[in-house]
Amino acid sequence: MVHMFAHAEIVLVVIVVAFAIFKLLKLTTELSMFLSAIVAAIAHSILLRLASDPRGIVPLIPVRHIVEGAFTYFDVCLIFLTATFFMALFRDSGGVAFIVRKIVSAFHTRRNLCLLFLTLVLLLPGAITGSGATTVLTVGALVGSVLTSMGIDETKRAAIIFMGAAMSAAAPPINLWAMMAAAGANMPYVGFGKPLLVLSLLGALFSTYWLAGKANKKLELQEALSMLPEVPERQNWFRVGFPFVLLLALILAGRIWFFNMPVLGLPLLFMLASLSVVILSPKPLPIWQIACSTVHSLLPLVGIMVVVGVLIQIMALSGARGLLSLLIVTLPLGVLYATLFFILPISEGALQYAVAPLIGVPLIMLFNMKGMDPVIALSAMAVIWPIGDCLPPTAIVGRATVIELEYKGKYYGEFLKTCLIPMAFVALIGTLFLIFSTNLSFLEG
């Protein structure tokens, strides 16, 4: 027993030290994770050889486990790629610009309603794709232009876009943190829609209205429209709305008539919705170019999903994952309540999606053993995690925001400081949902 724990402890230490060294060498997070997994696999093999008959055959690098780990989240990667491709086609067809221009035209004299609908626009891309970066790249600049016309200063504009992107990644139906943690805990991804929707909406709306402040400039319609891209003349609400109606109808059909409806899978549903965008587009779309740019922009995110799978597989093989789970589930609930709102965003900033299977799975098992509602608890954590995407060392969504909006201020001294209060609000409501998860179980479904 002591030998088993010592083995897992050594491998876990090797992973942490190797990851720290590779990050100090300025390697990317994805490459640092992958190399630390390889080093851990080698350390595991060496320890096995030392503990057993040296004539035994123990591969130095367990290639089979590395390959299996790389395909752990293959389905999630397909959802990621097809959903983002769908949104890219929709954007290039003029759909996003059409919606934003209609919102500005209809509510330019009613500031609060205009902010409400702009927030909903920010939530849409990430909710469909699971990526906050996709929100920034598809609608960030357009919404930012309208916020500029409202007289909102540069730093608050960037903070609004980031918080909207973070909450869009947390919004249903696609929340990658919840999906990965649920998969690791052998828990069906069912019942997360309402709690994720409530939490992400509260976080996004509070962030927008808190940062936008009171009106200090009247929104001039012509000025706002001049800052937005032109829309093809033939674009209309039917062309804009039909792909989403089709997508929703196919999803609901599979849930309502589950005995008669074949299982199509989300990737195929997104491709069918993409086909409808191409057919209804008022102008020809460069499909191949859009597909290539989509894959290129998502390479870092898909890469981290593949690498996370490899790391989790090696940790499970060596016992390091079990040791980490044991350490987490033996912590007192009071300690977790007092620290999770702080630990979850920081761990997301360091490890990105890897935190869901590494930390989320044992936490869900702990909360379930304590009689808490696992769906509500995981939903709460899955909304807190995305706010860490502006924290170092990765800060993927935060960096994408300042680049897309051509932000001129200081990242840490101004932008990050402005985000702190909205981030604290999201962490607070997430923690409250976690603590009172049993009382909020009516939100499942």
Side-chain angles (χ1 to χ4, degrees):
M1 183 66 68
V2 174
H3 173 74
M4 178 185 68
F5 277 103
H7 183 109
E9 287 169 359
I10 292 172
V11 173
L12 190 58
V13 170
V14 167
I15 292 173
V16 174
V17 172
F19 180 78
I21 291 174
F22 291 128
K23 287 300 294 182
L24 288 175
L25 294 175
K26 305 298 183 182
L27 297 182
T28 62
T29 300
E30 301 93 311
L31 194 54
S32 297
M33 280 187 187
F34 180 71
L35 293 177
S36 62
I38 299 299
V39 173
I42 294 173
H44 165 70
S45 299
I46 292 174
L47 289 172
L48 284 181
R49 292 184 179 186
L50 292 175
S52 60
D53 186 345
R55 292 171 297 178
I57 300 175
V58 179
L60 189 62
I61 301 179
V63 177
R64 178 175 70 86
H65 288 280
I66 293 173
V67 174
E68 285 183 3
F71 283 89
T72 300
Y73 301 111
F74 180 69
D75 55 338
V76 178
C77 291
L78 286 179
I79 293 172
F80 220 176
L81 288 166
T82 53
T84 305
F85 178 59
F86 165 63
M87 284 305 305
L89 287 171
F90 183 73
R91 176 199 61 203
D92 288 7
S93 70
V96 175
F98 176 84
I99 293 173
V100 175
R101 291 179 74 93
K102 289 295 183 181
I103 290 173
V104 172
S105 299
F107 302 108
H108 64 280
T109 59
R110 306 174 72 178
R111 187 173 186 271
N112 288 333
L113 281 177
C114 189
L115 286 172
L116 171 64
F117 285 105
L118 289 176
T119 302
L120 296 180
V121 168
L122 280 174
L123 288 175
L124 181 62
I128 291 176
T129 65
S131 168
T134 301
T135 294
V136 174
L137 297 175
T138 54
V139 303
L142 295 179
V143 174
S145 299
V146 180
L147 297 177
T148 301
S149 302
M150 290 182 172
I152 300 171
D153 70 67
E154 182 185 35
T155 304
K156 289 182 178 179
R157 285 201 308 272
I160 290 172
I161 300 301
F162 166 73
M163 289 303 301
M167 292 299 95
S168 73
I174 307 298
N175 183 303
L176 293 178
W177 294 273
M179 292 174 74
M180 294 173 72
N186 292 323
M187 175 182 174
Y189 185 68
V190 176
F192 290 88
K194 290 180 182 177
L196 287 175
L197 180 63
V198 171
L199 285 165
S200 56
L201 266 178
L202 286 174
L205 291 174
F206 174 85
S207 302
T208 298
Y209 287 108
W210 174 269
L211 293 167
K214 295 181 179 180
N216 52 11
K217 178 184 176 182
K218 183 180 178 181
L219 177 59
E220 296 293 340
L221 178 60
Q222 294 306 317
E223 177 188 353
L225 293 179
S226 66
M227 299 176 70
L228 297 172
E230 292 295 328
V231 176
E233 291 183 4
R234 296 170 55 204
Q235 189 65 279
N236 55 47
W237 281 113
F238 175 78
R239 297 176 188 272
V240 169
F242 181 81
F244 293 98
V245 173
L246 174 64
L247 180 63
L248 181 62
L250 290 173
I251 292 174
L252 292 177
R255 295 186 178 184
I256 296 173
W257 299 290
F258 41 84
F259 288 117
N260 301 316
M261 183 76 179
V263 179
L264 300 178
L266 281 175
L268 180 56
L269 297 187
F270 281 120
M271 292 307 294
L272 292 174
S274 299
L275 178 61
S276 70
V277 173
V278 173
I279 294 174
L280 295 174
S281 175
K283 63 179 183 180
L285 294 175
I287 300 174
W288 180 251
Q289 293 180 13
I290 295 173
C292 291
S293 63
T294 298
V295 173
H296 183 267
S297 65
L298 288 181
L299 274 180
L301 295 174
V302 172
I304 195 122
M305 302 292 284
V306 173
V307 170
V308 164
V310 174
L311 180 62
I312 298 300
Q313 184 82 2
I314 297 301
M315 290 183 70
L317 173 68
S318 62
R321 184 180 181 184
L323 178 63
L324 184 63
S325 299
L326 182 62
L327 292 174
I328 291 175
V329 299
T330 53
L331 289 173
L333 275 180
V335 174
L336 289 175
Y337 291 155
T339 58
L340 270 186
F341 73 94
F342 183 72
I343 292 174
L344 294 181
I346 290 179
S347 60
E348 171 68 17
L351 300 173
Q352 297 179 342
Y353 294 103
V355 298
L358 280 177
I359 299 177
V361 172
L363 282 174
I364 286 305
M365 292 180 175
L366 171 63
F367 294 144
N368 190 42
M369 288 188 296
K370 296 293 185 180
M372 300 169 63
D373 190 300
V375 172
I376 304 298
L378 180 52
S379 298
M381 293 190 294
V383 173
I384 296 176
W385 269 317
I387 63 177
D389 281 331
C390 66
L391 300 177
T394 56
I396 285 184
V397 181
R399 295 292 185 186
T401 301
V402 298
I403 292 172
E404 181 71 11
L405 298 183
E406 299 180 352
Y407 179 66
K408 300 298 190 298
K410 296 179 180 179
Y411 186 88
Y412 295 109
E414 298 177 21
F415 168 72
L416 192 55
K417 183 179 178 181
T418 304
C419 293
L420 287 179
I421 292 180
M423 289 169 65
F425 176 80
V426 172
L428 175 62
I429 60 172
T431 303
L432 291 175
F433 263 63
L434 185 65
I435 294 172
F436 299 104
S437 60
T438 305
N439 304 97
L440 296 170
S441 58
F442 65 90
L443 289 173
E444 290 185 38

mmCIF file of all heavy atoms in Angstrom, residues 278-306:
data_model
loop_
_atom_site.group_PDB
_atom_site.id
_atom_site.type_symbol
_atom_site.label_atom_id
_atom_site.label_comp_id
_atom_site.label_asym_id
_atom_site.label_seq_id
_atom_site.Cartn_x
_atom_site.Cartn_y
_atom_site.Cartn_z
ATOM 1 N N VAL A 278 -25.524 28.028 -45.965
ATOM 2 C CA VAL A 278 -24.959 28.150 -47.316
ATOM 3 C C VAL A 278 -26.071 28.301 -48.351
ATOM 4 O O VAL A 278 -25.989 29.149 -49.264
ATOM 5 C CB VAL A 278 -24.082 26.923 -47.644
ATOM 6 C CG1 VAL A 278 -23.625 26.964 -49.105
ATOM 7 C CG2 VAL A 278 -22.879 26.872 -46.718
ATOM 8 N N ILE A 279 -27.113 27.499 -48.219
ATOM 9 C CA ILE A 279 -28.218 27.551 -49.198
ATOM 10 C C ILE A 279 -28.961 28.879 -49.126
ATOM 11 O O ILE A 279 -29.326 29.455 -50.162
ATOM 12 C CB ILE A 279 -29.186 26.378 -48.948
ATOM 13 C CG1 ILE A 279 -28.484 25.045 -49.241
ATOM 14 C CG2 ILE A 279 -30.443 26.524 -49.801
ATOM 15 C CD1 ILE A 279 -29.311 23.826 -48.878
ATOM 16 N N LEU A 280 -29.184 29.390 -47.925
ATOM 17 C CA LEU A 280 -29.986 30.606 -47.746
ATOM 18 C C LEU A 280 -29.167 31.894 -47.802
ATOM 19 O O LEU A 280 -29.745 32.982 -47.788
ATOM 20 C CB LEU A 280 -30.724 30.546 -46.403
ATOM 21 C CG LEU A 280 -31.775 29.452 -46.257
ATOM 22 C CD1 LEU A 280 -32.320 29.422 -44.834
ATOM 23 C CD2 LEU A 280 -32.914 29.667 -47.258
ATOM 24 N N SER A 281 -27.848 31.778 -47.825
ATOM 25 C CA SER A 281 -27.013 32.978 -47.814
ATOM 26 C C SER A 281 -27.332 33.886 -49.003
ATOM 27 O O SER A 281 -27.462 33.414 -50.142
ATOM 28 C CB SER A 281 -25.533 32.588 -47.854
ATOM 29 O OG SER A 281 -24.715 33.744 -47.968
ATOM 30 N N PRO A 282 -27.472 35.197 -48.785
ATOM 31 C CA PRO A 282 -27.784 36.117 -49.885
ATOM 32 C C PRO A 282 -26.603 36.360 -50.821
ATOM 33 O O PRO A 282 -26.752 37.025 -51.840
ATOM 34 C CB PRO A 282 -28.171 37.409 -49.159
ATOM 35 C CG PRO A 282 -27.465 37.323 -47.851
ATOM 36 C CD PRO A 282 -27.429 35.873 -47.482
ATOM 37 N N LYS A 283 -25.435 35.831 -50.462
ATOM 38 C CA LYS A 283 -24.256 35.972 -51.318
ATOM 39 C C LYS A 283 -23.465 34.669 -51.276
ATOM 40 O O LYS A 283 -23.553 33.898 -50.319
ATOM 41 C CB LYS A 283 -23.382 37.137 -50.847
ATOM 42 C CG LYS A 283 -22.809 36.952 -49.443
ATOM 43 C CD LYS A 283 -21.926 38.119 -49.048
ATOM 44 C CE LYS A 283 -21.310 37.886 -47.662
ATOM 45 N NZ LYS A 283 -20.440 39.012 -47.248
ATOM 46 N N PRO A 284 -22.683 34.398 -52.338
ATOM 47 C CA PRO A 284 -21.867 33.173 -52.339
ATOM 48 C C PRO A 284 -20.842 33.213 -51.205
ATOM 49 O O PRO A 284 -20.239 34.246 -50.927
ATOM 50 C CB PRO A 284 -21.176 33.209 -53.713
ATOM 51 C CG PRO A 284 -21.995 34.143 -54.531
ATOM 52 C CD PRO A 284 -22.553 35.161 -53.587
ATOM 53 N N LEU A 285 -20.657 32.069 -50.556
ATOM 54 C CA LEU A 285 -19.721 31.984 -49.438
ATOM 55 C C LEU A 285 -18.493 31.172 -49.826
ATOM 56 O O LEU A 285 -18.633 30.098 -50.435
ATOM 57 C CB LEU A 285 -20.395 31.330 -48.228
ATOM 58 C CG LEU A 285 -21.549 32.097 -47.581
ATOM 59 C CD1 LEU A 285 -22.190 31.251 -46.482
ATOM 60 C CD2 LEU A 285 -21.064 33.415 -47.006
ATOM 61 N N PRO A 286 -17.299 31.648 -49.492
ATOM 62 C CA PRO A 286 -16.073 30.869 -49.747
ATOM 63 C C PRO A 286 -15.937 29.752 -48.711
ATOM 64 O O PRO A 286 -15.196 29.867 -47.737
ATOM 65 C CB PRO A 286 -14.963 31.919 -49.615
ATOM 66 C CG PRO A 286 -15.517 32.943 -48.667
ATOM 67 C CD PRO A 286 -16.996 32.964 -48.895
ATOM 68 N N ILE A 287 -16.666 28.670 -48.929
ATOM 69 C CA ILE A 287 -16.792 27.615 -47.917
ATOM 70 C C ILE A 287 -15.438 27.030 -47.532
ATOM 71 O O ILE A 287 -15.146 26.841 -46.338
ATOM 72 C CB ILE A 287 -17.731 26.501 -48.427
ATOM 73 C CG1 ILE A 287 -19.113 27.083 -48.720
ATOM 74 C CG2 ILE A 287 -17.838 25.374 -47.406
ATOM 75 C CD1 ILE A 287 -20.063 26.101 -49.371
ATOM 76 N N TRP A 288 -14.597 26.750 -48.530
ATOM 77 C CA TRP A 288 -13.308 26.133 -48.228
ATOM 78 C C TRP A 288 -12.425 27.069 -47.400
ATOM 79 O O TRP A 288 -11.785 26.634 -46.442
ATOM 80 C CB TRP A 288 -12.604 25.747 -49.527
ATOM 81 C CG TRP A 288 -11.265 25.107 -49.312
ATOM 82 C CD1 TRP A 288 -10.048 25.640 -49.566
ATOM 83 C CD2 TRP A 288 -11.013 23.802 -48.754
ATOM 84 N NE1 TRP A 288 -9.037 24.773 -49.233
ATOM 85 C CE2 TRP A 288 -9.610 23.627 -48.721
ATOM 86 C CE3 TRP A 288 -11.829 22.784 -48.284
ATOM 87 C CZ2 TRP A 288 -9.018 22.459 -48.236
ATOM 88 C CZ3 TRP A 288 -11.240 21.615 -47.812
ATOM 89 C CH2 TRP A 288 -9.856 21.472 -47.788
ATOM 90 N N GLN A 289 -12.407 28.338 -47.753
ATOM 91 C CA GLN A 289 -11.611 29.301 -46.991
ATOM 92 C C GLN A 289 -12.114 29.435 -45.554
ATOM 93 O O GLN A 289 -11.333 29.510 -44.607
ATOM 94 C CB GLN A 289 -11.634 30.664 -47.677
ATOM 95 C CG GLN A 289 -10.923 30.695 -49.019
ATOM 96 C CD GLN A 289 -10.977 32.066 -49.662
ATOM 97 O OE1 GLN A 289 -11.324 33.053 -49.015
ATOM 98 N NE2 GLN A 289 -10.664 32.122 -50.941
ATOM 99 N N ILE A 290 -13.439 29.469 -45.397
ATOM 100 C CA ILE A 290 -14.013 29.572 -44.051
ATOM 101 C C ILE A 290 -13.672 28.325 -43.238
ATOM 102 O O ILE A 290 -13.333 28.419 -42.049
ATOM 103 C CB ILE A 290 -15.536 29.775 -44.134
ATOM 104 C CG1 ILE A 290 -15.860 31.118 -44.798
ATOM 105 C CG2 ILE A 290 -16.170 29.704 -42.747
ATOM 106 C CD1 ILE A 290 -17.336 31.329 -45.069
ATOM 107 N N ALA A 291 -13.751 27.151 -43.872
ATOM 108 C CA ALA A 291 -13.415 25.910 -43.168
ATOM 109 C C ALA A 291 -11.953 25.904 -42.730
ATOM 110 O O ALA A 291 -11.631 25.536 -41.592
ATOM 111 C CB ALA A 291 -13.713 24.703 -44.067
ATOM 112 N N CYS A 292 -11.068 26.337 -43.633
ATOM 113 C CA CYS A 292 -9.633 26.361 -43.308
ATOM 114 C C CYS A 292 -9.333 27.344 -42.182
ATOM 115 O O CYS A 292 -8.571 27.034 -41.256
ATOM 116 C CB CYS A 292 -8.812 26.715 -44.549
ATOM 117 S SG CYS A 292 -8.805 25.429 -45.827
ATOM 118 N N SER A 293 -9.937 28.530 -42.246
ATOM 119 C CA SER A 293 -9.689 29.524 -41.198
ATOM 120 C C SER A 293 -10.272 29.078 -39.861
ATOM 121 O O SER A 293 -9.709 29.352 -38.799
ATOM 122 C CB SER A 293 -10.288 30.878 -41.601
ATOM 123 O OG SER A 293 -11.697 30.796 -41.736
ATOM 124 N N THR A 294 -11.404 28.344 -39.905
ATOM 125 C CA THR A 294 -12.000 27.826 -38.676
ATOM 126 C C THR A 294 -11.078 26.825 -38.010
ATOM 127 O O THR A 294 -10.811 26.904 -36.802
ATOM 128 C CB THR A 294 -13.355 27.156 -38.977
ATOM 129 O OG1 THR A 294 -14.258 28.127 -39.510
ATOM 130 C CG2 THR A 294 -13.951 26.553 -37.716
ATOM 131 N N VAL A 295 -10.556 25.885 -38.795
ATOM 132 C CA VAL A 295 -9.643 24.877 -38.242
ATOM 133 C C VAL A 295 -8.377 25.543 -37.717
ATOM 134 O O VAL A 295 -7.884 25.217 -36.629
ATOM 135 C CB VAL A 295 -9.298 23.826 -39.311
ATOM 136 C CG1 VAL A 295 -8.207 22.883 -38.799
ATOM 137 C CG2 VAL A 295 -10.542 23.032 -39.691
ATOM 138 N N HIS A 296 -7.863 26.512 -38.467
ATOM 139 C CA HIS A 296 -6.635 27.194 -38.043
ATOM 140 C C HIS A 296 -6.842 27.938 -36.730
ATOM 141 O O HIS A 296 -5.994 27.896 -35.828
ATOM 142 C CB HIS A 296 -6.184 28.166 -39.138
ATOM 143 C CG HIS A 296 -4.892 28.857 -38.836
ATOM 144 N ND1 HIS A 296 -4.833 30.094 -38.216
ATOM 145 C CD2 HIS A 296 -3.612 28.475 -39.028
ATOM 146 C CE1 HIS A 296 -3.573 30.436 -38.068
ATOM 147 N NE2 HIS A 296 -2.806 29.487 -38.544
ATOM 148 N N SER A 297 -7.964 28.630 -36.594
ATOM 149 C CA SER A 297 -8.215 29.404 -35.375
ATOM 150 C C SER A 297 -8.471 28.508 -34.173
ATOM 151 O O SER A 297 -8.215 28.903 -33.031
ATOM 152 C CB SER A 297 -9.401 30.351 -35.584
ATOM 153 O OG SER A 297 -10.593 29.618 -35.801
ATOM 154 N N LEU A 298 -8.969 27.295 -34.421
ATOM 155 C CA LEU A 298 -9.295 26.395 -33.320
ATOM 156 C C LEU A 298 -8.179 25.415 -32.978
ATOM 157 O O LEU A 298 -8.321 24.620 -32.045
ATOM 158 C CB LEU A 298 -10.561 25.606 -33.647
ATOM 159 C CG LEU A 298 -11.877 26.377 -33.629
ATOM 160 C CD1 LEU A 298 -13.037 25.466 -33.957
ATOM 161 C CD2 LEU A 298 -12.105 27.037 -32.276
ATOM 162 N N LEU A 299 -7.080 25.447 -33.722
ATOM 163 C CA LEU A 299 -6.003 24.496 -33.457
ATOM 164 C C LEU A 299 -5.526 24.522 -32.002
ATOM 165 O O LEU A 299 -5.339 23.456 -31.394
ATOM 166 C CB LEU A 299 -4.826 24.751 -34.407
ATOM 167 C CG LEU A 299 -4.901 24.072 -35.773
ATOM 168 C CD1 LEU A 299 -3.682 24.416 -36.612
ATOM 169 C CD2 LEU A 299 -5.024 22.561 -35.623
ATOM 170 N N PRO A 300 -5.304 25.708 -31.393
ATOM 171 C CA PRO A 300 -4.873 25.694 -29.988
ATOM 172 C C PRO A 300 -5.892 25.048 -29.058
ATOM 173 O O PRO A 300 -5.525 24.299 -28.148
ATOM 174 C CB PRO A 300 -4.694 27.193 -29.661
ATOM 175 C CG PRO A 300 -4.493 27.854 -30.978
ATOM 176 C CD PRO A 300 -5.333 27.082 -31.937
ATOM 177 N N LEU A 301 -7.197 25.309 -29.294
ATOM 178 C CA LEU A 301 -8.220 24.766 -28.412
ATOM 179 C C LEU A 301 -8.410 23.261 -28.619
ATOM 180 O O LEU A 301 -8.542 22.501 -27.655
ATOM 181 C CB LEU A 301 -9.542 25.500 -28.639
ATOM 182 C CG LEU A 301 -9.522 26.981 -28.269
ATOM 183 C CD1 LEU A 301 -10.830 27.650 -28.667
ATOM 184 C CD2 LEU A 301 -9.273 27.174 -26.799
ATOM 185 N N VAL A 302 -8.395 22.823 -29.892
ATOM 186 C CA VAL A 302 -8.482 21.390 -30.161
ATOM 187 C C VAL A 302 -7.232 20.691 -29.644
ATOM 188 O O VAL A 302 -7.294 19.587 -29.084
ATOM 189 C CB VAL A 302 -8.668 21.137 -31.672
ATOM 190 C CG1 VAL A 302 -8.559 19.648 -31.982
ATOM 191 C CG2 VAL A 302 -10.010 21.675 -32.145
ATOM 192 N N GLY A 303 -6.080 21.351 -29.805
ATOM 193 C CA GLY A 303 -4.824 20.786 -29.316
ATOM 194 C C GLY A 303 -4.855 20.543 -27.820
ATOM 195 O O GLY A 303 -4.406 19.500 -27.340
ATOM 196 N N ILE A 304 -5.422 21.492 -27.087
ATOM 197 C CA ILE A 304 -5.438 21.321 -25.629
ATOM 198 C C ILE A 304 -6.399 20.214 -25.223
ATOM 199 O O ILE A 304 -6.152 19.492 -24.243
ATOM 200 C CB ILE A 304 -5.789 22.636 -24.915
ATOM 201 C CG1 ILE A 304 -5.447 22.556 -23.429
ATOM 202 C CG2 ILE A 304 -7.245 22.960 -24.982
ATOM 203 C CD1 ILE A 304 -4.514 23.551 -22.954
ATOM 204 N N MET A 305 -7.465 20.004 -25.999
ATOM 205 C CA MET A 305 -8.375 18.902 -25.701
ATOM 206 C C MET A 305 -7.674 17.559 -25.894
ATOM 207 O O MET A 305 -7.820 16.636 -25.081
ATOM 208 C CB MET A 305 -9.601 18.972 -26.609
ATOM 209 C CG MET A 305 -10.378 20.257 -26.527
ATOM 210 S SD MET A 305 -11.201 20.502 -24.966
ATOM 211 C CE MET A 305 -12.562 19.402 -25.123
ATOM 212 N N VAL A 306 -6.894 17.450 -26.968
ATOM 213 C CA VAL A 306 -6.159 16.209 -27.235
ATOM 214 C C VAL A 306 -5.119 15.966 -26.151
ATOM 215 O O VAL A 306 -4.981 14.856 -25.620
ATOM 216 C CB VAL A 306 -5.500 16.273 -28.622
ATOM 217 C CG1 VAL A 306 -4.587 15.068 -28.845
ATOM 218 C CG2 VAL A 306 -6.552 16.346 -29.723
#
